[in-house]
Amino acid sequence: MSDPTFQAAYAQLVTALERARELGLKEPAAVALATTDFEGRPTVRIVLIRGVDERGLTFFTNSRSLKGRQLLINPRASLCFHWDAIREQIRVDGKVEQITEEESDAYWRQRSRSSQLASAASLQSEKLADTAVYAQAVAELEEKYEGAAIPRPSHWFGYRIVPDSIEFWYGRDARMHERIVYEQSATGWSRRMLYP
Ligand SMILES: Cc1cc2nc3c(=O)[nH]c(=O)nc-3n(C[C@H](O)[C@H](O)[C@H](O)COP(=O)(O)O)c2cc1C
């Protein structure tokens, strides 16, 4: 995307993420991610943004989870970062697409073996009668793949949120907070300020 206004928004996003990383937080890339069901009812949960580039923001999950099923119905999401220490919030809205198999494989290979086992054994968002059942499923996979690489389940992959709106909120004294929103329309990206 070569739109100069989008480039400005993207640069502002990257700078904010760098500032958040420097805070030394455990999870600076944690975001609230909202998706909707077929009646438009929203559901929100935290996920980790694992990649940001000009194409969008990527998170990984089980596509059979509630969020995965909701994204099949409505492939749009809204996400929100909040870093209290620097009084900043960023909201990103956009369409959601699946990243390539190669990109998901590359991220899967970086994960620890225990994370691979736990996510491969998890029927994320399904009813679990007893945690022992999950522990057993993990143990069975561990045995099955002893001495071998654990394959990425085909239903576990990355989703990219392709922004069509990015809003920055900067906390200021006396409630004079700053809000800057970048939005994409048919004619390109625009920037405006909003009342706080
Ligand atoms: C700090 C934090 C990070 C998380 N990161 C992820 C993640 O990257 N991917 C994921 O699928 N779930 C992640 N979770 C769990 C989700 O919040 C959620 O419980 C799970 O994905 C099931 O959501 P769903 O039933 O709405 O699909 C994280 C939870 C927390 C608290």
Side-chain angles (χ1 to χ4, degrees), residues 27 45-48 60-61 65-67 124-125:
E27 301 293 4
R45 81 288 287 157
I46 303 294
V47 296
L48 299 177
F60 290 84
T61 197
S65 66
L66 177 63
K67 74 183 92 48
Q124 194 177 55
S125 314

Side-chain angles (χ1 to χ4, degrees), residues 105-187:
D105 285 338
Y107 177 68
W108 178 261
R109 284 193 295 269
Q110 286 175 29
R111 303 185 82 205
S112 68
R113 198 171 169 83
S114 59
S115 295
Q116 290 178 341
L117 283 168
S119 48
S122 174
L123 306 177
Q124 194 177 55
S125 314
E126 295 299 320
K127 183 179 173 185
L128 173 62
D130 189 326
T131 49
V133 176
Y134 181 34
Q136 178 64 28
V138 171
E140 279 169 17
L141 276 187
E142 201 167 6
E143 199 182 320
K144 180 172 172 188
Y145 291 111
E146 200 187 338
I150 299 153
R152 175 177 63 84
S154 58
H155 57 268
W156 191 98
F157 51 76
Y159 290 87
R160 178 181 296 115
I161 297 159
V162 179
D164 47 37
S165 169
I166 307 176
E167 185 198 311
F168 299 87
W169 183 100
Y170 300 104
R172 300 287 184 244
D173 290 344
R175 207 200 168 278
M176 298 290 287
H177 312 309
E178 280 180 50
R179 293 178 69 189
I180 301 161
V181 62
Y182 295 85
E183 263 170 348
Q184 189 183 35
S185 69
T187 53

Side-chain angles (χ1 to χ4, degrees), residues 29-98:
V31 292
L33 173 84
T35 53
T36 59
D37 71 7
F38 66 97
E39 287 178 332
R41 285 180 301 206
T43 312
V44 68
R45 81 288 287 157
I46 303 294
V47 296
L48 299 177
I49 296 299
R50 295 301 198 182
V52 178
D53 62 25
E54 293 189 16
R55 295 171 300 173
L57 298 88
T58 300
F59 67 94
F60 290 84
T61 197
N62 183 326
S63 63
R64 296 175 183 163
S65 66
L66 177 63
K67 74 183 92 48
R69 284 180 271 126
Q70 291 191 337
L71 286 169
L72 264 186
I73 295 164
N74 178 14
R76 284 196 62 87
S78 182
L79 63 82
C80 191
F81 293 95
H82 173 229
W83 302 291
D84 185 47
I86 48 174
R87 302 179 72 196
E88 288 190 27
Q89 168 182 253
I90 302 174
R91 178 166 60 200
V92 178
D93 299 345
K95 290 200 187 73
V96 179
E97 60 183 29
Q98 187 177 336

